[in-house]
Amino acid sequence: CAVPPWDPDGHLRAMAHRTALNPGRDRAHSPGLGRSALHNPPSPHRRPRPPPRQGRRPLPLGPLARPKARALSSSSPSTPAAQQEPPPNQNQNQAKVRIAVVVPEQAPSHFRYPGAVSRPDPPTWTEVFQHLGSLLEWSEEGVELAVVEEGLDLDQEADVWLSVDADPAVAAALSSEKQNFLGLGRNATTTNNNKDVPPPSVGSTEETARQLFARKNADDLLYMVLVLVNDWVRDVPRVSMAKSKGFLGSLRLAYCMLGNCSKEVLDCVRDPTCKAALDCLQECGLNDQVCSYQCIVSYESPLFESFSQCVLQRHNCMRNFARVPDLPVVEPISQFRGEALTHEQAEDILVGWLGEERHSWKVVTGQNAAYDIFPNQHQVFYRGKRKGRFWYDPVFQARTFDGDLVWRKRHYRVRRGKVPGTFYFSVLDNGVVSDEYWRIADVAEDLSWALLYYAGAASAAGQSYTGAVFVSRDGKWPEARELGRVEAAHAKCGIKMWELFEVENYDCPDAPLDPLE
């Protein structure tokens, strides 16, 4: 792969809009949990959820000489022996929470549009938080967000007040007058005067919120808001569970691990590489999946795979549960080249350029900060040797803590959904099952580009997520005349163009693209 020499400082500058810097450690990829890791169990008002309910977006693991990712056969059990029943929706009877965000009028945010999108100015904070309000509707029932521009009426009721880059006088007034106020950006300040909710330890909530804000992606901005609601107003289960458990936290967890997986645990802690993976994971911050992935990429081993499969997947010692998100509702295309889309045509679209190229597609951009930004992402879709079999082998590079780029490869089983243009993906990766539901959101008739939307869940890991990958034949943007349709396709998925992360693509004749079947 013709990759320029890695310059850590230059790399971080180039990725500044999506990189988290934790104390004492440089992160090579932007952090963030998929926005739908925050989704509630479905309500009776939502459309029926088509995909399976568990699994995990696979980790970028496993040397190519010994692939760890294995596609699940239709008979493979994806439910761990100790799988928990779905928890009830704990927010149904809770009071609504109102969040007010004060921003300067027309103030530019720290988000940026991709270079190919002709926008002279970045999105304003008003635009960003208005979009965040929509994401909250999909993520946490009973929480609503209102944007208040400076100069408008601040004498209104809200349970949580935020300001971003506010005028000093406005920030000072909010800090002195409002309960549960957090100032971000310029003139940062905080008050927590809620007498009904015990305050957290000094600085913890504010520090966590500012770290999430500094990551500069929409998913962590959403999570930041829910952290404030959880700590200052009322319980948000997905936040409180994440903050209370940790990776190796409780006596109950230790009892489960030693009672059911003593060999795997002891083998791991006695091995320097596996133990380093556990220590590294324990240091990762709240909701920092990129940190977690880099830990495993840097310290992967068969012992860690056995540890994860026993502790997480087989016995669910952390008592996790997660559903595949059903919001937003993203419909697949119904027609292609003037005719009704069939299942065979939909598969042909995924197969894409395979045959003329060694890959089906290369990824141009992705929306999910944790999953979609690895360099040199090749998608390889193909029909299997047995009738009705269809496979997906993503091949990409991951960067270790040492700055090395290493190839990674996974192997998915793909099944048709009920509607043409929808697919169920499943994989067993590093001991953890992942199930996903993909849709062809849009595609050019000449196959110059496509937008593929996915939703998945990691029940054994307690995670769920959504994302979208924008792909083309060579990993480059299509012609300018196509960009309006591309933007409309992303909007259909509830994604703004300023949320996207451009993938680093190089000429890679050494990419290991041979199909695994």
Side-chain angles (χ1 to χ4, degrees):
C1 206
V3 183
W6 187 57
D7 169 20
D9 295 331
H11 181 76
L12 291 175
R13 285 195 298 271
M15 302 177 69
H17 71 291
R18 63 179 188 267
T19 302
L21 299 178
N22 286 343
R25 196 186 296 268
D26 287 339
R27 304 305 179 203
H29 302 296
S30 67
L33 189 63
R35 65 182 52 158
S36 44
L38 311 173
H39 280 65
N40 279 325
S43 76
H45 304 293
R46 299 178 182 173
R47 298 192 182 191
R49 180 179 58 260
R53 292 189 175 183
Q54 52 202 1
R56 180 175 186 172
R57 176 129 180 115
L59 304 178
L61 309 176
L64 297 180
R66 179 187 47 76
K68 294 184 181 180
R70 298 184 293 277
L72 297 178
S73 68
S74 57
S75 60
S76 297
S78 60
T79 303
Q83 178 65 59
Q84 301 298 307
E85 290 298 318
N89 187 344
Q90 302 181 46
N91 296 328
Q92 286 181 341
N93 299 319
Q94 292 188 350
K96 290 188 178 298
V97 176
R98 189 170 190 272
I99 302 160
V101 183
V102 180
V103 297
E105 184 177 2
Q106 298 301 312
S109 70
H110 57 209
F111 292 92
R112 297 295 181 266
Y113 290 98
V117 179
S118 298
R119 295 287 195 282
D121 300 310
T124 66
W125 282 120
T126 298
E127 294 175 273
V128 168
F129 280 101
Q130 286 175 343
H131 180 57
L132 192 70
S134 298
L135 302 186
L136 276 170
E137 292 179 6
W138 301 329
S139 303
E140 183 71 16
E141 294 179 5
V143 179
E144 61 181 34
L145 184 147
V147 181
V148 182
E149 292 187 337
E150 288 182 359
L152 300 180
D153 181 19
L154 300 181
D155 187 19
Q156 51 185 285
E157 295 296 323
D159 301 287
V160 174
W161 283 84
L162 292 172
S163 74
V164 180
D165 293 343
D167 179 90
V170 174
L174 290 169
S175 179
S176 62
E177 298 173 5
K178 304 297 183 183
Q179 292 183 345
N180 301 330
F181 166 72
L182 175 65
L184 298 166
R186 297 181 291 115
N187 308 312
T189 185
T190 308
T191 56
N192 176 213
N193 301 321
N194 193 327
K195 301 302 190 296
D196 300 321
V197 179
S201 57
V202 175
S204 62
T205 299
E206 296 80 354
E207 180 182 1
T208 298
R210 292 195 171 103
Q211 287 178 352
L212 291 166
F213 181 78
R215 294 177 186 173
K216 299 182 180 180
N217 69 75
D219 291 336
D220 281 310
L221 190 63
L222 173 65
Y223 197 84
M224 179 201 74
V225 169
L226 294 181
V227 166
L228 296 177
V229 173
N230 178 80
D231 287 3
W232 286 354
V233 186
R234 57 114 164 134
D235 183 63
V236 178
R238 54 203 48 80
V239 174
S240 58
M241 289 174 63
K243 295 185 73 173
S244 64
K245 284 196 291 193
F247 189 71
L248 298 173
S250 66
L251 290 176
R252 178 202 54 75
L253 174 60
Y255 181 83
C256 175
M257 291 168 58
L258 295 176
N260 297 294
C261 306
S262 58
K263 181 182 184 303
E264 291 82 357
V265 171
L266 292 175
D267 286 347
C268 185
V269 298
R270 289 169 177 167
D271 178 76
T273 302
C274 193
K275 178 63 162 55
L278 298 181
D279 293 340
C280 184
L281 287 166
Q282 202 165 10
E283 293 177 5
C284 291
L286 180 66
N287 198 41
D288 195 345
Q289 285 196 27
V290 169
C291 171
S292 300
Y293 286 6
Q294 268 199 289
C295 289
I296 299 170
V297 167
S298 297
Y299 304 112
E300 62 187 17
S301 70
L303 291 177
F304 184 80
E305 179 182 10
S306 298
F307 174 91
S308 300
Q309 185 166 12
C310 187
V311 172
L312 293 177
Q313 188 65 41
R314 192 181 307 145
H315 294 286
N316 196 15
C317 288
M318 297 185 75
R319 297 186 179 181
N320 288 323
F321 181 84
R323 301 179 187 274
V324 175
D326 54 1
L327 291 176
V329 176
V330 178
E331 300 291 349
I333 59 171
S334 58
Q335 290 195 332
F336 182 62
R337 294 175 177 169
E339 297 181 356
L341 184 71
T342 65
H343 287 290
E344 290 76 14
Q345 285 177 322
E347 289 179 350
D348 288 340
I349 290 172
L350 292 187
V351 172
W353 293 98
L354 186 64
E356 297 185 42
E357 303 282 356
R358 296 177 60 220
H359 56 263
S360 300
W361 301 94
K362 289 193 72 174
V363 177
V364 183
T365 67
Q367 177 272 331
N368 191 298
Y371 305 132
D372 296 338
I373 66 167
F374 298 107
N376 300 310
Q377 296 180 48
H378 301 75
Q379 295 185 327
V380 183
F381 291 95
Y382 56 98
R383 292 179 172 88
K385 297 176 181 178
R386 294 173 57 184
K387 184 178 180 180
R389 290 296 181 99
F390 196 77
W391 303 99
Y392 169 48
D393 295 351
V395 180
F396 56 95
Q397 290 186 308
R399 198 180 296 278
T400 67
F401 282 121
D402 296 328
D404 297 328
L405 280 174
V406 292
W407 285 108
R408 296 291 179 253
K409 189 171 188 174
R410 301 191 291 253
H411 186 50
Y412 284 77
R413 170 76 185 278
V414 181
R415 295 177 293 114
R416 295 175 178 177
K418 292 183 178 179
V419 178
T422 65
F423 300 90
Y424 301 110
F425 287 48
S426 59
V427 71
L428 179 64
D429 189 353
N430 199 49
V432 179
V433 172
S434 172
D435 290 317
E436 299 175 2
Y437 181 51
W438 286 56
R439 280 141 280 186
I440 301 175
D442 203 356
V443 61
E445 293 189 355
D446 62 356
L447 295 184
S448 58
W449 61 268
L451 181 65
L452 308 176
Y453 178 85
Y454 62 81
S459 192
Q463 299 170 358
S464 53
Y465 49 86
T466 64
V469 284
F470 177 56
V471 297
S472 69
R473 179 176 184 171
D474 55 6
K476 298 178 181 178
W477 284 86
E479 296 182 6
R481 66 172 182 269
E482 295 285 327
L483 294 182
R485 180 175 168 185
V486 171
E487 185 167 0
H490 282 86
K492 167 183 173 180
C493 301
I495 297 171
K496 299 294 187 180
M497 298 300 282
W498 47 261
E499 294 185 75
L500 302 181
F501 304 104
E502 291 188 275
V503 172
E504 299 174 67
N505 280 312
Y506 313 113
D507 182 26
C508 296
D510 61 330
L513 300 179
D514 293 337
L516 292 179
E517 182 182 276

